[in-house]
Amino acid sequence: SVSGGLGDTQFSFRLRQSRGQRSTQYEDDGEYNREAPLTLQRESAHYFGYVYFRQVKDSSMKRGYFQKSLVLVSRLPYVNLFQSLLQLIAPEYFDKLEPCLEAVCNEIDQWPPPVPGHTLNLPVMGVVIQVRIPSRVDKPGSSPVKQFNQENLLPAPLVLPSIHELDLFRCFQPVLIHIQMLWELMLLGEPIVVMAPSPTVSSEMVLALTSCLAPLRYCCDYRPYFTIHDSEFKEYTTRTQAPPNIVVGVTNPFFIKTLQHWPHILRVGELRMSGDLPKQVKVKKPAKLKTLDTKPGIYTSYKTFLHKDKTLIKRLLKGIQRKRPSEVQSALLRRHLLELTQSFIIPLEHYIASLMPLQRAITPWKNPPQIRPFRQEDFMKTLEHAGPQLTCVLKGDWLGLYRRFFKSANFDGWYRQRHKEMTQKLEALHLEAICEANIVAWMKDKSEVEIVDLVLKLREKLVRARCQHLPVKEETLQRVGLYIETIIGSLPEDLQAVLHHH
């Protein structure tokens, strides 16, 4: 680093996993990902890097400086947990070097796996970090459960209120009045560059942006801190094709030149908490970006579909005047964004639920009926009497926003996830229907070929139910297993032998 910044800095980055390693899926991914909130799932194609960097004058070093980073790499987006962990380990490591890391790794190896809904006590270097892993069944927007059994822990644990939530209010200070625009740009998966004065501000702003769609998952790529040494540098800076759908955070002024063709550029200064509303950046035309001493601002020609929420800004301003703590301001902001996202997504949820076949259409001996296709025009017709205007005070062109959303990766990701869940639900209902059926009566007039075919099909269903962890009761699966045994038992011995062998 050539920067004169002295002292300790923390930031995060995200990088692609190399092609060759994709196959090494961790065994517990399926189970963890099914119970974790979508926004906290383990990623299969990316790693997160959490960094603690120290730069101090040191005359004993050849270059006159001590410069070292400790980096923790994980497939989990637990930014608070891992940055807090680094605050404990890194200063010790810079002092005592390798032996210290070896001891820490031994302790971390003993940690229990992260199970959604559980509170974990994680001992490291004489401290116990206590965290709760969020679960998909938590009510969105509810504050983390107050801390739990202290189990007479000695020393008293270091309690983290959240494993991943940033101080949104601090991150969004300079852009509070544009929060509506930023939410829309994120919802639509637009390409955004965040230009910041430091890796810390860059990575926090990018992570804050990607978190503002919760509980909807942001399905595009994002790089909290991106440098000219990243392997995608050429890919992202090329002028021959449109910028990719990604949010990148950068600090190098060189990017002002190489990324000036991107449609949305957010330039922020150092984040400082001050007594009154921090200086709000202005929206400017992209052409204004030419100079290297570019002023903070949002450089874009984007026109929002919805109008600004003036009441939110007023409440936050009042909060600043009354010296309301930052975490309370952040909670207000988070709730506002949550309600906005829910107003947008609830009509989609209602419509997709209506595409599910009726339960009475599911019969034991036929394949389960198909989920009906998602027709955008049919959905748009439902909005008149069941649109976001029922739950949201914001006026504007909601229909235009939905039309743009349908073209985005976020819609695609949401639809695939829902479709997968509905397909699994159908499979589960089908297995239950089979359990209720009278197999012996069905077998009476069937040929051996048909009966063997049924055995193979049921077996395949059982295997799939277990592999995909379908939402089926264990007793249902056991009953289907018994059915299979019963049917095989009624067949001639040579066939029994063949089926048992399979």
Side-chain angles (χ1 to χ4, degrees):
S1 165
V2 282
S3 70
L6 286 182
D8 294 2
T9 311
Q10 286 187 267
F11 59 93
S12 17
F13 62 88
R14 183 167 172 270
L15 75 165
R16 261 182 216 163
Q17 199 168 317
S18 70
R19 290 283 183 287
Q21 298 170 304
R22 281 297 158 82
S23 56
T24 58
Q25 273 293 335
Y26 289 76
E27 286 69 62
D28 60 347
D29 265 11
E31 212 162 321
Y32 170 82
N33 279 354
R34 228 185 18 272
E35 295 177 11
L38 292 175
T39 49
L40 287 183
Q41 290 189 334
R42 259 203 194 87
E43 298 225 9
S44 58
H46 291 87
Y47 287 120
F48 294 95
Y50 303 95
V51 184
Y52 192 108
F53 171 62
R54 173 170 291 180
Q55 173 171 298
V56 287
K57 281 201 162 96
D58 180 347
S59 50
S60 71
M61 299 275 177
K62 200 162 78 202
R63 301 171 57 191
Y65 278 97
F66 171 92
Q67 288 178 314
K68 231 186 189 66
S69 285
L70 185 60
V71 183
L72 186 152
V73 178
S74 171
R75 294 166 67 240
L76 290 163
Y78 295 169
V79 59
N80 284 352
L81 171 62
F82 293 139
Q83 292 291 18
S84 306
L85 183 60
L86 284 173
Q87 283 167 20
L88 294 170
I89 304 169
E92 281 289 298
Y93 162 65
F94 295 145
D95 257 4
K96 308 193 171 94
L97 303 178
E98 268 64 36
C100 155
L101 275 195
E102 203 171 317
V104 163
C105 290
N106 283 333
E107 286 188 290
I108 293 177
D109 280 343
Q110 306 300 311
W111 285 5
V115 177
H118 286 204
T119 295
L120 307 182
N121 291 315
L122 311 172
V124 63
M125 288 182 33
V127 179
V128 175
I129 303 177
Q130 191 173 72
V131 284
R132 180 178 179 275
I133 309 292
S135 153
R136 196 175 286 196
V137 294
D138 297 347
K139 216 170 124 275
S142 61
S143 60
V145 189
K146 277 290 166 270
Q147 295 315 356
F148 339 80
N149 51 357
Q150 293 294 346
E151 286 179 27
N152 305 326
L153 289 172
L154 287 168
L158 167 66
V159 177
L160 297 187
S162 160
I163 202 161
H164 67 290
E165 287 181 347
L166 296 160
D167 183 341
L168 273 196
F169 180 66
R170 202 195 65 224
C171 296
F172 285 151
Q173 280 182 82
V175 293
L176 287 172
I177 60 175
H178 308 299
I179 209 77
Q180 182 62 48
M181 175 193 274
L182 293 169
W183 177 83
E184 286 186 23
L185 291 174
M186 294 307 291
L187 180 73
L188 302 173
E190 286 284 312
I192 303 176
V193 184
V194 172
M195 293 184 172
S198 69
T200 310
V201 176
S202 159
S203 55
E204 285 198 343
M205 182 62 96
V206 171
L207 291 176
L209 286 169
T210 56
S211 74
C212 74
L213 294 182
L216 189 64
R217 182 181 190 162
Y218 177 72
C219 296
C220 305
D221 200 353
Y222 59 98
R223 299 303 163 91
Y225 177 51
F226 186 77
T227 74
I228 54 178
H229 305 292
D230 275 82
S231 45
E232 290 87 16
F233 177 73
K234 276 204 172 64
E235 185 186 327
Y236 292 167
T237 50
T238 170
R239 297 290 180 107
T240 52
Q241 62 212 52
N245 295 82
I246 176 176
V247 182
V248 290
V250 300
T251 57
N252 190 333
F254 175 73
F255 281 108
I256 294 178
K257 210 159 68 224
T258 48
L259 298 179
Q260 61 184 329
H261 60 295
W262 280 45
H264 320 286
I265 293 176
L266 167 57
R267 178 79 196 257
V268 285
E270 272 301 346
L271 295 186
R272 280 187 293 272
M273 277 306 214
S274 55
D276 42 4
L277 184 65
K279 197 167 156 50
Q280 297 294 290
V281 306
K282 293 191 168 57
V283 176
K284 310 177 182 189
K285 290 280 166 282
K288 290 254 167 42
L289 194 73
K290 294 286 179 279
T291 57
L292 276 180
D293 57 339
T294 304
K295 303 271 180 296
I298 299 178
Y299 294 82
T300 178
S301 320
Y302 181 80
K303 295 275 171 284
T304 56
F305 286 92
L306 306 179
H307 308 316
K308 270 185 190 155
D309 188 338
K310 301 244 170 63
T311 47
L312 171 77
I313 309 300
K314 284 192 185 124
R315 286 187 70 185
L316 291 171
L317 271 170
K318 198 169 258 167
I320 293 171
Q321 284 161 1
R322 294 187 174 160
K323 305 218 179 339
R324 197 185 283 146
S326 187
E327 53 268 29
V328 181
Q329 295 276 70
S330 282
L332 276 175
L333 200 48
R334 196 170 276 112
R335 193 165 74 229
H336 165 78
L337 291 165
L338 175 74
E339 285 166 3
L340 189 54
T341 303
Q342 283 178 324
S343 295
F344 183 80
I345 219 78
I346 286 167
L348 286 160
E349 298 281 2
H350 282 324
Y351 174 71
I352 202 166
S354 74
L355 304 177
M356 185 83 166
L358 295 172
Q359 198 148 351
R360 61 167 182 269
I362 300 168
T363 54
W365 315 123
K366 288 200 190 87
N367 277 333
Q370 294 289 301
I371 297 162
R372 291 194 300 284
F374 189 107
R375 296 209 164 86
Q376 295 178 9
E377 287 315 307
D378 289 355
F379 165 72
M380 298 304 258
K381 287 188 194 114
T382 66
L383 292 174
E384 272 171 58
H385 45 87
Q389 70 279 5
L390 298 183
T391 51
C392 188
V393 291
L394 288 195
K395 300 279 178 279
D397 179 11
W398 286 96
L399 298 177
L401 188 59
Y402 282 113
R403 285 216 160 83
R404 272 284 283 276
F405 177 67
F406 288 141
K407 300 191 180 94
S408 76
N410 289 330
F411 169 69
D412 190 54
W414 170 82
Y415 175 72
R416 279 174 199 230
Q417 174 71 24
R418 279 288 171 268
H419 198 274
K420 183 175 130 192
E421 286 167 6
M422 286 160 72
T423 308
Q424 291 185 342
K425 178 82 181 135
L426 274 177
E427 278 276 321
L429 290 169
H430 193 219
L431 274 171
E432 275 157 27
I434 291 170
C435 262
E436 302 304 313
N438 183 342
I439 289 211
V440 183
W442 178 85
M443 278 163 53
K444 278 206 178 79
D445 52 350
K446 297 293 183 287
S447 67
E448 278 175 5
V449 173
E450 288 175 290
I451 291 174
V452 169
D453 186 50
L454 175 70
V455 167
L456 296 175
K457 273 200 174 126
L458 285 180
R459 261 197 190 155
E460 191 198 350
K461 275 189 163 304
L462 260 189
V463 169
R464 219 179 22 239
R466 293 214 185 275
C467 289
Q468 298 182 354
H469 302 282
L470 291 187
V472 190
K473 291 192 202 77
E474 182 55 39
E475 58 200 281
T476 305
L477 297 178
Q478 285 170 357
R479 273 174 72 181
V480 175
L482 278 173
Y483 275 173
I484 296 174
E485 293 306 315
T486 311
I487 303 169
I488 293 178
S490 71
L491 291 166
E493 290 197 346
D494 55 337
L495 273 177
Q496 284 194 33
V498 171
L499 286 169
H500 276 307
H501 183 64
H502 273 285

